[in-house]
Amino acid sequence: MTATPLLSVRNLAKHYVHGHGFFGLGKRTVKAVQDVSFDIARGETLSLVGESGCGKSTVGKAIAGLHPATHGEILLNGKPITSPEYKAGQLWHRKVQVVFQDPYSSLDPRMRVRDIIAEPLKNFGLAKDRQDLNAQIARLIDLVRLPRDSADRYPHEFSGGQRQRIGIARALAPNPELIICDEAVSALDVSVKAQIVNLLADLRNELGLALLFISHDLAIVDHITDRVAVMYLGRIVEIGSRNEIFDNPKHPYTRALLSAVPMVDPAARRERIILKGELPSPFNPPSGCTFRTRCPLAQDLCAHDIPRLTPVGGNQQAACHLLPMAPATIA
Amino acid sequence: MRTSRFAENPAVATPLPDILEERIPRSGLLGMIQRNISVTIGLAGIAIIIFIGICAPWLGTVDPLSINPAMRTRPPSAEHFFGTDALGRDLWSRVLYGTRVSLTVGFSVAALATGIGVLLGVMAGYIRAAEGLIMRAMDAVMSIPSILLAIALVALIRPSVSNVIFAITVAEVPRVARLVRSVVISLRELAWVEAGIVSGSNSTKIILRHILPNAAAPIIVQATYICASAMIIEATLSFIGAGTPASIPSWGNIMAEGRSLWQVKPLIVLIPAAFLSATVLAVNVVGDGLRDALDSRLVKDI
């Protein structure tokens, strides 16, 4: 690929300092995200999956510009997030928008839907005058299939799914190039979840948006995504196209994750790989491969070196010491 | 698009109706107050007290400072509704004019302490670097009982109504600052604030449009309590002679001067005390009612 990807994340790391030590004593650092790199092409959907606490939302917030990265670079159209060009007029926020997880806490309860959607339009100077502003708000409300008279209502008058539509309308308002959906449908009922995912898919196709879809729900991810990156304890352990990851997972963690997806058809039971133990504390991650403490295949080698993402065929990459040797013995 | 392996999803979202059902009109603050009987009573009480304060010269009063040695410590009569004090001054006039002092002090302190406290609290809650400095300073002020602090401040500067207001404000600011800081910190972490940042709002806009409107309810309730507490502190200061100068008829001063005659002429103390209690009660009732009416999780925490 020679074309510049829309978004490039290079060696992103995010460390949080925990606790107020006495003059810096006793402070502990959580390495929430380490050495994460990936690209998203224009119009492409990449899903970031993993269990709670694996750092996927932290990656999303760093890309959204809500938390500065500790190390590494985030580039949009080849220019870093820290460049003066993006800082001026908060252009980064204009191009990279977020749909938040909780449709209840992500809308200011004291603002009308009109004002919520107008906020980015006004801040980024995208409305010529009052009439233009109203026209744009009406267009966005139509775009997310909300009732026409929604604009003058308050968020509490809407259901969870409708609120999420308001959140999507707000994210679409400044005409972004990338939308980060941070667990955007996790808080919704199953039926509403499907509607919102379909709406996101429709809008992506209509508007040519790129999506970073952060989720732990693999069924939803399978429905919407082009590529998948699997995270475990702050690192990407496997990345590849949807078909590669879902049909032919290489990393033992990805295999365990996929085997845990509930099946509708009881006859079609798969063999389940049940992981032992809990997610290790991010304060004190295991040496070498962070997954080795729960990996059914772990060997001595895994405790020494941190495995790097290596190509395992096609566009698929996995970070596991054992893969190049014996991919077939895992299953 | 290929269908999911895991579950069948509906192909298209079901369309929503074009128009939502008719909504109940928002009643707003006025409606909430009307539905709350105690707020109505409290507001009526405050209205009467304010009316008395403003209209004191036209309510059958004479000069509250004019001394009449021939008419000392008279019982209530048609000429002197509440009787006279030890110097023969008309108690009715003195109590009615005293309303002005209490109201001025109460409302000024509430406004000033809330204003300064909100400013400091927002700074402490939003700017991490400022938090330690501001909050430790507030802790230091709070570690001194507010009455003692006010006495010390009034002793340092000349006693006058404005200095009493200043002293009580200094003592009350930390309470507001603490409250506002905690509310700001809890709001700052909410997703809608992050949504505001993503929507391109700078810190000033985030504070003015997202944080302060949502923090208004607990701040308003706190302001009413400060108003009541300031009136009591003012009366206490005057009573012990550390507040409003004796030449100004304030309820605390009237009570202080009536103290020596307490056993023979209890009315001189009881009447201003009753006015003070009624005013403070009215303000507190309104505060409680507002807390219930503005029913939100944050307000309940006070």
Side-chain angles (χ1 to χ4, degrees), chain B residues 123-146:
Chain B
M123 275 161 63
Y126 207 79
I127 309 165
R128 273 172 200 274
E131 183 181 4
L133 189 69
I134 293 175
M135 291 326 290
R136 291 305 78 75
M138 294 296 113
D139 287 348
V141 176
M142 268 190 118
S143 66
I144 308 166
S146 43

PDB file of all heavy atoms in Angstrom, chain B residues 123-146:
ATOM      1  N   MET B 123     -12.005  26.537  39.848  1.00  0.00           N
ATOM      2  CA  MET B 123     -10.568  26.484  39.582  1.00  0.00           C
ATOM      3  C   MET B 123      -9.954  25.237  40.213  1.00  0.00           C
ATOM      4  O   MET B 123      -9.171  24.519  39.585  1.00  0.00           O
ATOM      5  CB  MET B 123      -9.878  27.745  40.120  1.00  0.00           C
ATOM      6  CG  MET B 123      -9.925  28.902  39.145  1.00  0.00           C
ATOM      7  SD  MET B 123      -9.619  30.473  39.936  1.00  0.00           S
ATOM      8  CE  MET B 123      -7.957  30.256  40.522  1.00  0.00           C
ATOM      9  N   ALA B 124     -10.327  24.967  41.471  1.00  0.00           N
ATOM     10  CA  ALA B 124      -9.751  23.812  42.169  1.00  0.00           C
ATOM     11  C   ALA B 124     -10.193  22.510  41.511  1.00  0.00           C
ATOM     12  O   ALA B 124      -9.433  21.544  41.459  1.00  0.00           O
ATOM     13  CB  ALA B 124     -10.167  23.824  43.633  1.00  0.00           C
ATOM     14  N   GLY B 125     -11.432  22.482  41.016  1.00  0.00           N
ATOM     15  CA  GLY B 125     -11.934  21.243  40.442  1.00  0.00           C
ATOM     16  C   GLY B 125     -11.448  21.006  39.029  1.00  0.00           C
ATOM     17  O   GLY B 125     -11.356  19.862  38.582  1.00  0.00           O
ATOM     18  N   TYR B 126     -11.149  22.076  38.310  1.00  0.00           N
ATOM     19  CA  TYR B 126     -10.842  21.905  36.891  1.00  0.00           C
ATOM     20  C   TYR B 126      -9.348  21.981  36.596  1.00  0.00           C
ATOM     21  O   TYR B 126      -8.866  21.332  35.690  1.00  0.00           O
ATOM     22  CB  TYR B 126     -11.595  22.968  36.072  1.00  0.00           C
ATOM     23  CG  TYR B 126     -11.886  22.518  34.667  1.00  0.00           C
ATOM     24  CD1 TYR B 126     -12.955  21.650  34.422  1.00  0.00           C
ATOM     25  CD2 TYR B 126     -11.100  22.911  33.601  1.00  0.00           C
ATOM     26  CE1 TYR B 126     -13.228  21.203  33.152  1.00  0.00           C
ATOM     27  CE2 TYR B 126     -11.374  22.464  32.323  1.00  0.00           C
ATOM     28  CZ  TYR B 126     -12.431  21.620  32.100  1.00  0.00           C
ATOM     29  OH  TYR B 126     -12.700  21.167  30.834  1.00  0.00           O
ATOM     30  N   ILE B 127      -8.635  22.798  37.382  1.00  0.00           N
ATOM     31  CA  ILE B 127      -7.193  22.936  37.138  1.00  0.00           C
ATOM     32  C   ILE B 127      -6.465  22.136  38.200  1.00  0.00           C
ATOM     33  O   ILE B 127      -6.476  22.501  39.374  1.00  0.00           O
ATOM     34  CB  ILE B 127      -6.763  24.422  37.195  1.00  0.00           C
ATOM     35  CG1 ILE B 127      -7.668  25.259  36.298  1.00  0.00           C
ATOM     36  CG2 ILE B 127      -5.307  24.576  36.794  1.00  0.00           C
ATOM     37  CD1 ILE B 127      -7.571  26.741  36.554  1.00  0.00           C
ATOM     38  N   ARG B 128      -5.854  21.033  37.797  1.00  0.00           N
ATOM     39  CA  ARG B 128      -5.238  20.152  38.776  1.00  0.00           C
ATOM     40  C   ARG B 128      -4.129  20.853  39.552  1.00  0.00           C
ATOM     41  O   ARG B 128      -3.936  20.616  40.743  1.00  0.00           O
ATOM     42  CB  ARG B 128      -4.678  18.905  38.090  1.00  0.00           C
ATOM     43  CG  ARG B 128      -5.722  17.830  37.956  1.00  0.00           C
ATOM     44  CD  ARG B 128      -5.221  16.689  37.100  1.00  0.00           C
ATOM     45  NE  ARG B 128      -6.349  15.904  36.584  1.00  0.00           N
ATOM     46  CZ  ARG B 128      -6.918  14.921  37.243  1.00  0.00           C
ATOM     47  NH1 ARG B 128      -6.499  14.591  38.426  1.00  0.00           N
ATOM     48  NH2 ARG B 128      -7.929  14.255  36.721  1.00  0.00           N
ATOM     49  N   ALA B 129      -3.397  21.733  38.877  1.00  0.00           N
ATOM     50  CA  ALA B 129      -2.266  22.396  39.527  1.00  0.00           C
ATOM     51  C   ALA B 129      -2.749  23.307  40.649  1.00  0.00           C
ATOM     52  O   ALA B 129      -2.066  23.481  41.655  1.00  0.00           O
ATOM     53  CB  ALA B 129      -1.469  23.193  38.499  1.00  0.00           C
ATOM     54  N   ALA B 130      -3.949  23.891  40.476  1.00  0.00           N
ATOM     55  CA  ALA B 130      -4.442  24.853  41.465  1.00  0.00           C
ATOM     56  C   ALA B 130      -5.131  24.162  42.631  1.00  0.00           C
ATOM     57  O   ALA B 130      -5.316  24.766  43.685  1.00  0.00           O
ATOM     58  CB  ALA B 130      -5.418  25.826  40.798  1.00  0.00           C
ATOM     59  N   GLU B 131      -5.472  22.892  42.448  1.00  0.00           N
ATOM     60  CA  GLU B 131      -6.328  22.229  43.429  1.00  0.00           C
ATOM     61  C   GLU B 131      -5.702  22.210  44.827  1.00  0.00           C
ATOM     62  O   GLU B 131      -6.328  22.619  45.801  1.00  0.00           O
ATOM     63  CB  GLU B 131      -6.643  20.801  42.970  1.00  0.00           C
ATOM     64  CG  GLU B 131      -7.583  20.109  43.940  1.00  0.00           C
ATOM     65  CD  GLU B 131      -7.898  18.690  43.536  1.00  0.00           C
ATOM     66  OE1 GLU B 131      -7.329  18.206  42.543  1.00  0.00           O
ATOM     67  OE2 GLU B 131      -8.712  18.082  44.225  1.00  0.00           O
ATOM     68  N   GLY B 132      -4.442  21.735  44.907  1.00  0.00           N
ATOM     69  CA  GLY B 132      -3.800  21.597  46.215  1.00  0.00           C
ATOM     70  C   GLY B 132      -3.753  22.917  46.956  1.00  0.00           C
ATOM     71  O   GLY B 132      -4.195  23.024  48.107  1.00  0.00           O
ATOM     72  N   LEU B 133      -3.283  23.941  46.271  1.00  0.00           N
ATOM     73  CA  LEU B 133      -3.116  25.251  46.895  1.00  0.00           C
ATOM     74  C   LEU B 133      -4.460  25.792  47.395  1.00  0.00           C
ATOM     75  O   LEU B 133      -4.605  26.157  48.567  1.00  0.00           O
ATOM     76  CB  LEU B 133      -2.501  26.202  45.867  1.00  0.00           C
ATOM     77  CG  LEU B 133      -2.052  27.551  46.406  1.00  0.00           C
ATOM     78  CD1 LEU B 133      -0.845  27.368  47.315  1.00  0.00           C
ATOM     79  CD2 LEU B 133      -1.738  28.496  45.271  1.00  0.00           C
ATOM     80  N   ILE B 134      -5.450  25.817  46.519  1.00  0.00           N
ATOM     81  CA  ILE B 134      -6.743  26.402  46.894  1.00  0.00           C
ATOM     82  C   ILE B 134      -7.386  25.613  48.025  1.00  0.00           C
ATOM     83  O   ILE B 134      -7.824  26.178  49.031  1.00  0.00           O
ATOM     84  CB  ILE B 134      -7.679  26.451  45.665  1.00  0.00           C
ATOM     85  CG1 ILE B 134      -7.144  27.445  44.633  1.00  0.00           C
ATOM     86  CG2 ILE B 134      -9.088  26.845  46.082  1.00  0.00           C
ATOM     87  CD1 ILE B 134      -7.930  27.479  43.341  1.00  0.00           C
ATOM     88  N   MET B 135      -7.406  24.280  47.890  1.00  0.00           N
ATOM     89  CA  MET B 135      -8.142  23.508  48.886  1.00  0.00           C
ATOM     90  C   MET B 135      -7.440  23.513  50.241  1.00  0.00           C
ATOM     91  O   MET B 135      -8.096  23.513  51.272  1.00  0.00           O
ATOM     92  CB  MET B 135      -8.385  22.078  48.396  1.00  0.00           C
ATOM     93  CG  MET B 135      -9.358  21.982  47.227  1.00  0.00           C
ATOM     94  SD  MET B 135     -10.715  23.199  47.236  1.00  0.00           S
ATOM     95  CE  MET B 135     -11.693  22.610  48.617  1.00  0.00           C
ATOM     96  N   ARG B 136      -6.076  23.554  50.264  1.00  0.00           N
ATOM     97  CA  ARG B 136      -5.416  23.619  51.558  1.00  0.00           C
ATOM     98  C   ARG B 136      -5.692  24.969  52.211  1.00  0.00           C
ATOM     99  O   ARG B 136      -5.893  25.057  53.422  1.00  0.00           O
ATOM    100  CB  ARG B 136      -3.913  23.386  51.401  1.00  0.00           C
ATOM    101  CG  ARG B 136      -3.475  21.986  51.000  1.00  0.00           C
ATOM    102  CD  ARG B 136      -3.976  20.872  51.885  1.00  0.00           C
ATOM    103  NE  ARG B 136      -5.374  20.499  51.643  1.00  0.00           N
ATOM    104  CZ  ARG B 136      -5.783  19.794  50.589  1.00  0.00           C
ATOM    105  NH1 ARG B 136      -4.942  19.407  49.673  1.00  0.00           N
ATOM    106  NH2 ARG B 136      -7.062  19.487  50.447  1.00  0.00           N
ATOM    107  N   ALA B 137      -5.726  26.036  51.395  1.00  0.00           N
ATOM    108  CA  ALA B 137      -6.064  27.348  51.943  1.00  0.00           C
ATOM    109  C   ALA B 137      -7.480  27.333  52.511  1.00  0.00           C
ATOM    110  O   ALA B 137      -7.734  27.859  53.602  1.00  0.00           O
ATOM    111  CB  ALA B 137      -5.937  28.414  50.852  1.00  0.00           C
ATOM    112  N   MET B 138      -8.402  26.695  51.798  1.00  0.00           N
ATOM    113  CA  MET B 138      -9.777  26.603  52.289  1.00  0.00           C
ATOM    114  C   MET B 138      -9.832  25.796  53.579  1.00  0.00           C
ATOM    115  O   MET B 138     -10.551  26.142  54.512  1.00  0.00           O
ATOM    116  CB  MET B 138     -10.674  25.935  51.222  1.00  0.00           C
ATOM    117  CG  MET B 138     -10.846  26.742  49.935  1.00  0.00           C
ATOM    118  SD  MET B 138     -11.702  28.308  50.202  1.00  0.00           S
ATOM    119  CE  MET B 138     -10.402  29.450  49.862  1.00  0.00           C
ATOM    120  N   ASP B 139      -9.068  24.708  53.634  1.00  0.00           N
ATOM    121  CA  ASP B 139      -9.026  23.897  54.856  1.00  0.00           C
ATOM    122  C   ASP B 139      -8.541  24.733  56.030  1.00  0.00           C
ATOM    123  O   ASP B 139      -9.075  24.627  57.144  1.00  0.00           O
ATOM    124  CB  ASP B 139      -8.086  22.696  54.666  1.00  0.00           C
ATOM    125  CG  ASP B 139      -8.679  21.641  53.764  1.00  0.00           C
ATOM    126  OD1 ASP B 139      -9.888  21.748  53.480  1.00  0.00           O
ATOM    127  OD2 ASP B 139      -7.949  20.724  53.341  1.00  0.00           O
ATOM    128  N   ALA B 140      -7.523  25.572  55.763  1.00  0.00           N
ATOM    129  CA  ALA B 140      -6.979  26.405  56.830  1.00  0.00           C
ATOM    130  C   ALA B 140      -8.050  27.352  57.353  1.00  0.00           C
ATOM    131  O   ALA B 140      -8.229  27.502  58.572  1.00  0.00           O
ATOM    132  CB  ALA B 140      -5.778  27.186  56.310  1.00  0.00           C
ATOM    133  N   VAL B 141      -8.803  27.980  56.438  1.00  0.00           N
ATOM    134  CA  VAL B 141      -9.856  28.902  56.878  1.00  0.00           C
ATOM    135  C   VAL B 141     -10.933  28.136  57.635  1.00  0.00           C
ATOM    136  O   VAL B 141     -11.450  28.576  58.650  1.00  0.00           O
ATOM    137  CB  VAL B 141     -10.459  29.643  55.665  1.00  0.00           C
ATOM    138  CG1 VAL B 141     -11.610  30.526  56.097  1.00  0.00           C
ATOM    139  CG2 VAL B 141      -9.396  30.474  54.972  1.00  0.00           C
ATOM    140  N   MET B 142     -11.274  26.941  57.133  1.00  0.00           N
ATOM    141  CA  MET B 142     -12.345  26.160  57.759  1.00  0.00           C
ATOM    142  C   MET B 142     -11.951  25.613  59.125  1.00  0.00           C
ATOM    143  O   MET B 142     -12.813  25.264  59.925  1.00  0.00           O
ATOM    144  CB  MET B 142     -12.727  24.991  56.856  1.00  0.00           C
ATOM    145  CG  MET B 142     -13.849  25.324  55.908  1.00  0.00           C
ATOM    146  SD  MET B 142     -14.403  23.823  55.103  1.00  0.00           S
ATOM    147  CE  MET B 142     -16.090  23.752  55.657  1.00  0.00           C
ATOM    148  N   SER B 143     -10.639  25.518  59.366  1.00  0.00           N
ATOM    149  CA  SER B 143     -10.219  24.949  60.652  1.00  0.00           C
ATOM    150  C   SER B 143     -10.511  25.909  61.798  1.00  0.00           C
ATOM    151  O   SER B 143     -10.501  25.514  62.953  1.00  0.00           O
ATOM    152  CB  SER B 143      -8.729  24.601  60.609  1.00  0.00           C
ATOM    153  OG  SER B 143      -7.989  25.792  60.498  1.00  0.00           O
ATOM    154  N   ILE B 144     -10.776  27.200  61.474  1.00  0.00           N
ATOM    155  CA  ILE B 144     -11.140  28.161  62.508  1.00  0.00           C
ATOM    156  C   ILE B 144     -12.667  28.254  62.517  1.00  0.00           C
ATOM    157  O   ILE B 144     -13.264  28.452  61.472  1.00  0.00           O
ATOM    158  CB  ILE B 144     -10.540  29.552  62.204  1.00  0.00           C
ATOM    159  CG1 ILE B 144      -9.036  29.415  61.951  1.00  0.00           C
ATOM    160  CG2 ILE B 144     -10.832  30.516  63.334  1.00  0.00           C
ATOM    161  CD1 ILE B 144      -8.439  30.645  61.314  1.00  0.00           C
ATOM    162  N   PRO B 145     -13.327  28.131  63.675  1.00  0.00           N
ATOM    163  CA  PRO B 145     -14.789  28.267  63.706  1.00  0.00           C
ATOM    164  C   PRO B 145     -15.205  29.601  63.096  1.00  0.00           C
ATOM    165  O   PRO B 145     -14.553  30.620  63.351  1.00  0.00           O
ATOM    166  CB  PRO B 145     -15.131  28.200  65.199  1.00  0.00           C
ATOM    167  CG  PRO B 145     -13.977  27.494  65.822  1.00  0.00           C
ATOM    168  CD  PRO B 145     -12.777  27.818  64.995  1.00  0.00           C
ATOM    169  N   SER B 146     -16.271  29.602  62.315  1.00  0.00           N
ATOM    170  CA  SER B 146     -16.584  30.807  61.539  1.00  0.00           C
ATOM    171  C   SER B 146     -16.880  32.002  62.439  1.00  0.00           C
ATOM    172  O   SER B 146     -16.517  33.124  62.100  1.00  0.00           O
ATOM    173  CB  SER B 146     -17.729  30.541  60.567  1.00  0.00           C
ATOM    174  OG  SER B 146     -18.735  29.801  61.177  1.00  0.00           O
TER     175      SER B 146
END
